[in-house]
Amino acid sequence: MAMMTQMWLIFDLTGSALQLGLLGLARAIPGVVLNLVGGVLADKVDQRKLLMYSTMGMAGLYSVLATLTVAGVLEVWHVLSVVFFTGAFEAFQQPSRQSIFPNLIDRKDMMSAVGLNSTIHPGTRIFAPLIAGVLIDHVGMKHEGAATALYLVAGLNLVFSFALFKIHMAPVKRTNSTGGFQSLTQGMWYVANNRIFMLLILTSFSNAIFGMAHVTLLPVFTEKLMGESTGFYLALLTSAGGVGGLTGAFFAGSLGSIRRRGWLMLGGACNFGAVLILFAIAPVFWMLVGLEWLASASSQMFSVTAQSTLHGLVPDEYRGRVMGLWGMTHTVAQPLGGLQLGALANAIGATSALVISGSFAVVFALGG
């Protein structure tokens, strides 16, 4: 809900695909360094508390942005600044979130658990964007509906923080290294010397840069085919992606006993890029909706299978750092991909830009 609202605000204020790309850059910059630091902290400190405090910080940022919006003084740099600091908090939040749940389950149920955990993000994308779209289009004047959506996101983050406060976990094995830099280099060296980890993380980065970054251009494609990028049409596309992601996560999670996971990952990654090429040349909006569903389902099939493989192989004392690198898919790779895609779309058009990007995603998946 928050990202869709921020995208709508930027596009409403500027009408520029390049500005949508800058939104991704603002989110990526803090993640370049802090995601690795967040992984180190997740291996050293109480993951529950780290997750709780970072979520509270994000709630405060969304409240500030909502207040600026409803006051009628919102400018583009306000949105970019809040997205920047939100990216910093996400860099600490994501490794902790990914590191907690494997310690709550039996390892033989890992793939099913990863599938269930992976339904959270696409699940919220189903109804949250629709709610945000209705608020944007029908509440108050100008940007007041967007402000209401941001206040709602801030409140939900506070509720989540309070729920974390009530949770008590059994002790988890921590890393034995003393220095933060030593822990960071150990984690990087551990991943670099494991071919499977490197392949999965690099493929995830490729999917994010050349594939998942296409969400940056959703307002552009909506305006192209519908004449305007209203909150409702944008929410419909985003929700279709949520339903697709949920479908892909459930399907991959149900295959917990499958042995040839490599073929499932390859199929998901290749199909993701191919569907985005079709998305780029779709002549009508309702085809976009269906293709967004299929693209998200394919992406989640790869993601769930790859994450379950990582969780099944990595020891607890390295889990935070490994998942911190994996988390850079969302906090760094996808936003940077949004920047390059927005700049390319600004230069040669959204259709050509996405065809090129989707083709790169397919080539990298096959080459890996």
Side-chain angles (χ1 to χ4, degrees):
M1 181 185 289
M3 185 53 65
M4 193 206 94
T5 303
Q6 291 161 346
M7 287 168 52
W8 181 86
L9 284 170
I10 287 289
F11 198 66
D12 187 69
L13 289 169
T14 68
S16 168
L18 180 58
Q19 290 289 344
L20 288 171
L22 290 176
L23 190 71
L25 178 63
R27 185 183 172 203
I29 290 174
V32 171
V33 175
L34 294 181
N35 229 88
L36 298 175
V37 176
V40 171
L41 285 177
D43 284 334
K44 282 180 168 291
V45 304
D46 188 326
Q47 297 158 349
R48 180 185 63 87
K49 290 182 179 179
L50 186 58
L51 184 56
M52 181 175 67
Y53 293 139
S54 59
T55 304
M56 291 173 64
M58 291 172 64
L61 288 171
Y62 289 134
S63 297
V64 169
L65 184 59
T67 301
L68 291 171
T69 304
V70 78
V73 297
L74 184 70
E75 297 182 21
V76 172
W77 73 269
H78 292 145
V79 183
L80 295 178
S81 297
V82 168
V83 169
F84 176 88
F85 288 108
T86 301
F89 280 117
E90 285 180 342
F92 291 99
Q93 183 190 75
Q94 193 278 337
S96 298
R97 186 191 300 273
Q98 290 285 354
S99 299
I100 282 178
F101 83 89
N103 296 296
L104 304 175
I105 61 168
D106 192 316
R107 296 303 167 92
K108 67 181 178 62
D109 298 320
M110 182 64 73
M111 190 159 176
S112 298
V114 171
L116 186 60
N117 184 59
S118 298
T119 64
I120 296 173
H121 181 252
T124 58
R125 287 178 60 195
I126 297 174
F127 298 108
L130 290 174
I131 295 171
V134 170
L135 293 174
I136 289 170
D137 288 345
H138 300 291
V139 173
M141 302 288 291
K142 199 168 176 58
H143 295 152
E144 291 177 358
T148 304
L150 290 170
Y151 277 129
L152 180 58
V153 173
L156 291 173
N157 273 273
L158 288 176
V159 171
F160 179 60
S161 297
F162 180 75
L164 285 170
F165 179 75
K166 293 291 186 180
I167 293 175
H168 297 283
M169 293 180 56
V172 177
K173 185 178 181 180
R174 304 296 181 191
T175 179
N176 293 323
S177 58
T178 55
F181 182 75
Q182 180 186 2
S183 295
L184 179 60
T185 54
Q186 282 180 352
M188 297 284 286
W189 187 253
Y190 178 76
V191 172
N193 283 277
N194 190 304
R195 185 178 179 276
I196 294 177
F197 291 177
M198 281 292 292
L199 180 61
L200 293 180
I201 291 174
L202 288 177
T203 304
S204 180
F205 278 20
S206 170
N207 279 354
I209 293 172
F210 300 118
M212 287 187 283
H214 82 283
V215 298
T216 302
L217 298 182
L218 292 185
V220 180
F221 281 101
T222 302
E223 184 178 62
K224 172 187 172 184
L225 295 181
M226 300 305 294
E228 59 178 337
S229 183
T230 66
F232 174 75
Y233 290 131
L234 185 57
L236 199 59
L237 265 184
T238 308
S239 296
V243 175
L246 199 66
T247 305
F250 274 128
F251 178 75
S254 68
L255 301 176
S257 60
I258 191 172
R259 292 186 177 182
R260 289 189 168 273
R261 295 185 181 184
W263 289 107
L264 187 60
M265 288 186 278
L266 177 63
C270 288
N271 197 56
F272 182 38
V275 172
L276 289 181
I277 296 173
L278 296 177
F279 182 98
I281 61 177
V284 294
F285 178 78
W286 297 107
M287 282 186 67
L288 288 186
V289 174
L291 290 169
E292 180 66 14
W293 174 86
L294 185 55
S296 294
S298 302
S299 176
Q300 280 297 100
M301 283 178 60
F302 165 80
S303 181
V304 169
T305 312
Q307 283 188 70
S308 65
T309 301
L310 285 176
H311 279 302
L313 295 175
V314 68
D316 286 336
E317 59 266 33
Y318 281 99
R319 192 176 304 280
R321 283 163 287 178
V322 172
M323 299 316 296
L325 281 170
W326 173 270
M328 291 176 72
T329 296
H330 301 286
T331 59
V332 177
Q334 182 176 342
L336 287 179
L339 175 64
Q340 62 88 20
L341 197 55
L344 192 60
N346 203 54
I348 64 175
T351 298
S352 299
L354 190 53
V355 167
I356 293 172
S357 196
S359 300
F360 271 113
V362 174
V363 169
F364 191 94
L366 290 173

